[in-house]
Amino acid sequence: MKKIIYVLILLLAVVSVLVFTFGPFAYGSVANREIKNETKPLSIADRKAGLDGRKKWEASPDGIKYKEWEVSPEGKKVHASHDKIKKSIKAFTNMEAVVTSVTFQSANGKSSSPKWLIVRINGEEYMMQFIPKDFQQLNNLKVNDKIIVRSRSAGFSHNHPYLIISGDYIAQNNKVLFKRDFSKNKGC
């Protein structure tokens, strides 16, 4: 009788280990494995193609200009301004800003070209680009207005004097002036 009880306990222990290892509550469950499989690392061929594309771009006139700008004092200043707000961008948190320009325009800009809002955050200037239709919601802003900005991304360009941040959310006096609708473009 004792032998049967020991065999049953041993069998129960083995089954328990298998259930916890491969069962639905296990870390390596099917759902977790499916998620992990969606983010497979790039193959060597994909990495090589990406590096080849980057090398081609770096050798192009635009790539050369960008690399020269990146090590220039202006480029270093823009990269430093990115370092100041990258945590807020990653977390999509509020940043207090002061409007410094609502009329900035590219040198050869047309009336249908993108509109720019220049703001100061923590002593650094940043640019936000809007299509004319979206910029209409910001028409009432004036220089020195205090606003709250949230951004999901930032970009560098040797053609612009400041870091370009996405103006995904702008509020003033607890009133939302602009909120980008990501459902229309699937988060892009």
Side-chain angles (χ1 to χ4, degrees):
M1 182 74 169
K2 286 185 180 181
K3 287 184 181 180
I4 293 174
I5 292 176
Y6 287 129
V7 169
L8 287 174
I9 290 174
L10 180 62
L11 183 60
L12 182 63
V14 169
V15 169
S16 297
V17 168
L18 289 174
V19 167
F20 284 112
T21 303
F22 300 108
F25 301 109
Y27 177 73
S29 69
V30 174
N32 284 337
R33 277 183 257 152
E34 287 175 5
I35 291 169
K36 288 177 187 175
N37 289 339
E38 289 176 11
T39 57
K40 291 180 182 176
L42 293 174
S43 69
I44 293 172
D46 289 340
R47 281 190 226 149
K48 188 174 185 317
L51 286 175
D52 288 345
R54 182 178 176 103
K55 285 181 182 180
K56 285 179 185 176
W57 177 80
E58 286 177 349
S60 73
D62 280 341
I64 292 169
K65 283 181 188 175
Y66 179 79
K67 292 305 258 178
E68 289 172 354
W69 169 82
E70 202 171 29
V71 296
S72 72
E74 295 85 11
K76 288 178 181 178
K77 184 177 187 305
V78 170
H79 278 279
S81 70
H82 177 257
D83 291 342
K84 286 186 175 183
I85 64 168
K86 68 183 174 185
K87 287 181 183 176
S88 295
I89 290 174
K90 185 174 182 174
F92 194 62
T93 57
N94 289 349
M95 295 180 279
E96 294 179 6
V98 176
V99 176
T100 60
S101 175
V102 293
T103 58
F104 180 86
Q105 200 167 355
S106 299
N108 58 357
K110 302 171 188 142
S111 62
S112 62
S113 65
K115 304 295 182 189
W116 295 91
L117 183 65
I118 312 295
V119 297
R120 182 177 302 118
I121 301 170
N122 294 332
E124 295 289 336
E125 303 285 330
Y126 298 91
M127 304 175 79
M128 290 184 282
Q129 180 181 18
F130 298 91
I131 60 173
K133 178 184 160 208
D134 289 345
F135 196 77
Q136 288 176 353
Q137 298 173 49
L138 305 171
N139 272 341
N140 292 332
L141 287 178
K142 294 173 183 52
V143 172
N144 293 325
D145 280 352
K146 293 182 180 180
I147 59 174
I148 297 295
V149 174
R150 288 188 210 157
S151 177
R152 295 184 192 279
S153 62
F156 304 96
S157 172
H158 64 280
N159 296 326
H160 296 87
Y162 309 115
L163 182 71
I164 303 164
I165 60 174
S166 62
D168 299 320
Y169 173 92
I170 298 174
Q172 183 181 34
N173 300 326
N174 295 322
K175 180 184 174 199
V176 176
L177 302 178
F178 178 79
K179 186 175 182 181
R180 193 170 311 279
D181 184 3
F182 288 97
S183 66
K184 291 180 182 177
N185 55 9
K186 297 180 181 165
C188 294

